[in-house]
Amino acid sequence: MTDRLRTGMLLLPRRYKRALQVVTDVLLVWFALWLAFLVRLGIDEIYHPLRLHYWLFLAAPVIAIPIFIRFGMYRAVMRYFGNDALIAIGKAVSLSSLILALVVYWHSNHTAIVPRSIVFNYWWLSLVLIGGLRLIMRQYFLGDWFAARQHVPFTNRDNGLPKVAIYGAGAAGNQLVAALRIGRMMRPVAFIDDDESVADRVISGLQVFRGNDIQKMIDATGAEEILLAIPSASRARRREILGLLENFPLHVRSVPGFMDLASGRVKVDDIQEVDIADLLGRDAVPAQEDLLSRCVTGQVVMVTGAGGSIGSELCRQILMLEPKALLLFEHSEFNLYSIHGELEQRIRRESLPVRLVPFLGSIRNQKHLIDTMTMWGVNTVYHAAAYKHVPLVEHNIAEGVLNNVIGTLNTAQAALQANVANFVLISTDKAVRPTNVMGSTKRLAELVLQALSKEVAPVLFGDSGKVARVNKTRFTMVRFGNVLGSSGSVIPLFHKQIQAGGPLTVTHPKITRYFMTIPEAAQLVIQAGSMGLGGDVFVLDMGEPVRIAALAEKMIHLSGLSVRSEKNPHGDIAIEFTGLRPGEKLYEELLIGDNVSPTRHPMILTASEDFLVWDVLKDRLTLLLKAVETEDFTVVRQLLRELVSGYTPEGEIVDWVYQQRLRDI
């Protein structure tokens, strides 16, 4: 019955709701005025004010209701009634009481005297009745009686919802508590905060515990989960907190970061799993604006592989630097559709003066690349298109060579012929002393750019006319490790495996990798591409390498679960070691040699590395391409060994075509 009445009232037309509020306020004003007399004169004079001061009961609503309307009291939505509305009520009631006091003073000379305390009593009683009724109705319309009765003694407080503690008793934490109470999907039971000024106090009806009292909080409240509401905390601080929480059987999740909240992309109650970047504990270095804008702002920029993990983030950041035009070059129709739609919406939403042009094409088609760059007058190319998955490329050698080497060669030569000013190759740490085809092809792609950059007027590969082309393009390479959340990253895989109940699969107990967030990597790529004179190999500071097995354990613990092992056979999720896959290394490196120098950016280094002259490299590329076309992968491997310093493939050739041919023999 109560639910039907509430639903019926919510469905009333707006004008009926306002009329009902006005009538209710008139009755409350009369009741407050009558109670004011009753408090002053006592119960024996219960009818006295109605008989002698009826004019006052006519004047009170005539004064109050227009003021209430002026202060917007009938525009507030009752379900989301908050502090601003209470302040408006206080102002409106105070002003109406003041005017009523002036009327009483003026009118008392003509009729029976009204006691001076009546106006004061009327003021505080109106505040209690008008404000209090609205607060009660807010709880009623929300259906959230638990929040109102949780402090009532001897009542059952357990409503069956998961119990959560909020880490952070600031503004974000309080907004999160309000959102959870409205949504009624979780039950907030406590705050945790390291601020001594709020420790052991009660905020929003919840006790605040110190950071070192987690176990005490669990015992007192039965909390099953912790939500991090510290969006402005540094990564280093978040890492400290996660390290503390990892020791308790609690599922840890978080509200979004400060910049996501400020941009409006997400809301406070958009709860998400802990950002693994917080486990790295490293804060991004602020960007240098002149480096960001130098090769982008007001220019025509082209991104190959625009729909991939790195390419799409490059496009997002380039867009905010307001190029004249942004060309999206991508061979995957779905990826191109997705990133184009996302960026179009952003351009409309933020009224950006950028022309966005999607190109569906392959970097193996050099003519398409030349036509695109020439017709649009491209100034800067960010070449992110590549095959990056080590085992897949190991099993598909021809595709890896054609895409990573010949594709880069085509793109670079097209840029040179179209007089593109800047060309930036996105490389990888796997190009350093590689043990796999993917890494060796990426290093060979670097060698192509290094060789071209040293030629003032090269004869291009495949040019039967042997025409020398004037080189006006500045070629640079940016090398870095794994990015969090990219396609093929272990992080999304671990999340899925945890949700499925495990096990988590790790290739080797000692395997380590460098990690960086995609936005940080893309921002550093843009800045690095603005530096150098040509042929430069820039290396991003990736911090300390991360042991993948330790990362898996942390993710299990922060999900509120335990690791099943020989020491703990009754744990929740096991970690299985599957062995290194074809071409995988235990650890990755960023530098081939020790000859490295700092740059003006503290996170970007430049390496001086050996390279081949263009004419020699062209001859070797001809042999490599012929071996790929004839599917002679033994020769392909031998040529890669000759060309790429430190390439030491492990094991036999595992290409699917090669293996099938051996079986047929």
Side-chain angles (χ1 to χ4, degrees), residues 580-601:
L580 293 175
R581 297 172 295 180
E584 275 194 321
K585 297 168 67 175
L586 276 180
Y587 60 92
E588 300 292 356
E589 304 168 88
L590 288 167
L591 297 170
I592 294 175
D594 298 324
N595 193 0
V596 62
S597 304
T599 67
R600 56 177 288 193
H601 195 292

Side-chain angles (χ1 to χ4, degrees), residues 318-538:
I318 289 169
L319 191 68
M320 299 313 297
L321 296 170
E322 297 189 2
K324 180 180 178 182
L326 176 56
L327 313 186
L328 314 176
F329 199 91
E330 172 63 55
H331 83 286
S332 167
E333 181 184 30
F334 176 75
N335 287 353
L336 182 60
Y337 171 80
S338 299
I339 188 61
H340 179 247
E342 176 191 331
L343 297 181
E344 266 197 330
Q345 287 184 2
R346 193 166 185 179
I347 288 173
R348 286 196 297 267
R349 185 173 64 247
E350 302 179 24
S351 301
L352 298 175
V354 180
R355 184 166 185 184
L356 190 66
V357 189
F359 285 95
L360 193 62
S362 170
I363 55 174
R364 297 188 196 178
N365 187 341
Q366 185 168 335
K367 184 178 184 305
H368 189 189
L369 290 165
I370 295 172
D371 291 344
T372 302
M373 295 179 194
T374 303
M375 286 190 296
W376 286 87
V378 173
N379 303 107
T380 303
V381 172
Y382 293 96
H383 181 51
Y387 289 146
K388 305 179 183 74
H389 196 274
V390 170
L392 284 180
V393 175
E394 205 69 19
H395 287 295
N396 298 272
I397 294 175
E399 291 300 305
V401 172
L402 290 173
N403 202 68
N404 293 356
V405 180
I406 305 304
T408 300
L409 175 66
N410 290 341
T411 312
Q413 292 193 152
L416 191 148
Q417 289 177 265
N419 293 322
V420 172
N422 310 292
F423 186 102
V424 183
L425 169 69
I426 314 301
S427 192
T428 171
D429 57 353
K430 294 175 178 60
V432 178
R433 281 181 279 275
T435 58
N436 51 68
V437 175
M438 193 281 279
S440 63
T441 55
K442 290 296 289 183
R443 175 55 188 152
L444 189 49
E446 291 181 357
L447 289 170
V448 167
L449 297 195
Q450 287 177 296
L452 278 175
S453 68
K454 302 302 180 182
E455 297 292 324
V456 177
V459 175
L460 299 183
F461 178 83
D463 186 356
S464 57
K466 300 187 181 303
V467 178
R469 310 273 181 172
V470 177
N471 185 0
K472 298 181 180 180
T473 305
R474 183 173 60 91
F475 293 101
T476 56
M477 295 134 274
V478 185
R479 187 187 292 161
F480 54 92
N482 297 274
V483 287
L484 295 170
S486 67
S487 58
S489 172
V490 297
I491 309 303
L493 175 62
F494 284 169
H495 275 307
K496 290 180 181 178
Q497 290 175 336
I498 289 172
Q499 291 170 1
L504 268 63
T505 54
V506 180
T507 54
H508 193 281
K510 295 182 179 180
I511 193 168
T512 63
R513 288 293 181 266
Y514 289 101
F515 284 103
M516 178 179 282
T517 65
I518 296 178
E520 183 182 7
Q523 191 178 79
L524 289 173
V525 164
I526 295 172
Q527 293 176 87
S530 299
M531 297 189 288
L533 302 175
D536 307 85
V537 178
F538 292 106

Side-chain angles (χ1 to χ4, degrees), residues 56-289:
L56 197 55
F57 284 84
L58 294 176
V62 170
I63 294 170
I65 298 303
I67 293 176
F68 292 176
I69 293 172
R70 179 66 182 83
F71 276 82
M73 287 173 53
Y74 304 117
R75 293 196 298 269
V77 179
M78 199 69 68
R79 280 169 291 172
Y80 307 112
F81 192 80
N83 293 335
D84 291 340
L86 285 175
I87 292 172
I89 289 173
K91 292 178 180 178
V93 169
S94 299
L95 181 59
S96 64
S97 299
L98 180 61
I99 294 175
L100 186 65
L102 295 175
V103 171
V104 168
Y105 173 78
W106 174 77
H107 205 269
S108 294
N109 296 327
H110 306 283
T111 59
I113 295 176
V114 177
R116 284 173 293 181
S117 61
I118 292 298
V119 175
F120 175 74
N121 288 340
Y122 167 74
W123 172 73
W124 69 262
L125 285 166
S126 294
L127 285 176
V128 171
L129 291 173
I130 294 173
L133 180 64
R134 280 166 166 77
L135 289 175
I136 292 171
M137 294 307 294
R138 179 186 69 176
Q139 298 303 125
Y140 174 70
F141 286 126
L142 289 175
D144 187 19
W145 289 107
F146 173 76
R149 74 171 190 267
Q150 61 179 335
H151 302 297
V152 179
F154 313 114
T155 57
N156 181 16
R157 302 184 181 185
D158 192 355
N159 55 1
L161 298 178
K163 298 175 182 178
V164 299
I166 314 297
Y167 204 114
N174 280 273
Q175 290 179 50
L176 181 57
V177 167
L180 293 177
R181 286 173 173 169
I182 291 172
R184 300 195 299 280
M185 297 297 292
M186 298 177 181
R187 175 186 163 192
V189 295
F191 278 117
I192 305 168
D193 204 292
D194 299 309
D195 185 352
E196 288 295 328
S197 65
V198 298
D200 297 323
R201 298 179 64 181
V202 174
I203 297 177
S204 295
L206 305 178
Q207 183 177 350
V208 183
F209 292 84
R210 292 179 174 85
N212 55 4
D213 290 335
I214 304 293
Q215 190 59 54
K216 177 182 175 182
M217 181 275 297
I218 296 173
D219 296 337
T221 64
E224 308 160 21
E225 185 170 338
I226 286 187
L227 304 180
L228 301 181
I230 45 176
S232 59
S234 67
R235 281 243 164 85
R237 177 59 188 143
R238 293 170 76 92
R239 183 182 184 181
E240 290 179 15
I241 293 171
L242 291 174
L244 172 68
L245 298 178
E246 188 185 347
N247 301 317
F248 300 95
L250 296 165
H251 185 187
V252 183
R253 293 195 284 173
S254 69
V255 297
F258 178 78
M259 292 307 296
D260 290 329
L261 292 171
S263 66
R265 289 194 294 267
V266 292
K267 304 184 293 297
V268 168
D269 56 332
D270 286 338
I271 298 168
Q272 58 195 19
E273 294 297 331
V274 170
D275 189 348
I276 302 301
D278 294 335
L279 293 176
L280 304 182
R282 186 184 66 180
D283 292 303
V285 174
Q288 297 183 17
E289 295 300 326

Side-chain angles (χ1 to χ4, degrees), residues 13-31:
R14 184 65 183 156
R15 62 180 183 276
Y16 291 165
K17 293 178 183 177
R18 288 180 175 173
L20 183 60
Q21 284 182 282
V22 170
V23 172
T24 302
D25 282 346
V26 170
L27 295 175
L28 289 176
V29 166
W30 283 342
F31 187 49

